[in-house]
Amino acid sequence: PAKAWMSDSGQERCMMFASAKFAKGDVLVAGLGLAIYPQFVLALNRPVKSITIIENNQQIIDLIQTNWFKDEYRDKVKVTIINSDIEDFLAETKEKFDTIYLDTWEDADARYLAGVNYLISLSSNCIMDDGIIQAW
């Protein structure tokens, strides 16, 4: 049966708001979704230099890209959206990030734990020494 993959439920918003409060520096976001996490990062006026978002679905990028990044933030933070799989990006990039936020699985079911741990492991090569890796 059809299942919602992305939502802006109260639970989603609360979890992303709590995570966004810790964002700093150069931020990597795995999974664009409805762009709730980066919107919170910007609205909370976090000390962020850039936000790089990795999304593997071009239709999601096309749907969200033009609607969420408000003009008031354009001069403050560089935002880049890349159409790629997060595993490929993490394995290939030489960039280092201060904050990595991983949100690429459909729910918090334990069956995704191995994949979550794998992404955290890949992320450890791309995080600054004093950086933070967060997983939804």
Side-chain angles (χ1 to χ4, degrees):
K3 181 177 180 179
W5 180 265
M6 298 173 290
S7 78
D8 63 349
S9 69
Q11 175 192 9
E12 291 270 341
R13 288 178 177 270
C14 287
M15 291 173 68
M16 291 185 193
F17 178 81
S19 294
K21 291 192 287 186
F22 296 98
K24 64 180 182 176
D26 295 309
V27 178
L28 175 65
V29 180
L32 173 60
L34 298 173
I36 295 169
Y37 174 81
Q39 288 181 74
F40 277 138
V41 169
L42 295 169
L44 289 168
N45 202 27
R46 295 299 304 148
V48 169
K49 293 186 268 183
S50 70
I51 301 174
T52 302
I53 303 167
I54 310 301
E55 172 58 53
N56 70 358
N57 186 326
Q58 186 62 49
Q59 290 179 311
I60 298 300
I61 294 170
D62 295 342
L63 176 68
I64 301 299
Q65 183 170 345
T66 58
N67 296 314
W68 77 272
F69 191 49
K70 298 181 177 148
D71 289 337
E72 64 192 275
Y73 303 119
R74 290 191 194 280
D75 294 332
K76 296 179 184 178
V77 178
K78 178 184 176 191
V79 175
T80 305
I81 301 175
I82 299 170
N83 182 215
S84 178
D85 287 321
I86 188 60
E87 296 90 347
D88 295 339
F89 180 85
L90 290 171
E92 296 170 6
T93 189
K94 301 296 183 223
E95 292 181 71
K96 297 279 185 173
F97 298 90
D98 301 289
T99 306
I100 297 177
Y101 183 75
L102 305 169
D103 181 12
T104 61
W105 43 91
E106 64 183 280
D107 60 39
D109 191 286
R111 70 181 182 259
Y112 298 112
L113 189 56
V116 173
N117 287 334
Y118 177 66
L119 287 180
I120 291 170
S121 175
L122 285 176
S123 296
S124 66
N125 297 321
C126 305
I127 194 77
M128 298 295 282
D129 289 339
D130 63 342
I132 182 172
I133 299 171
Q134 299 173 310
W136 174 88

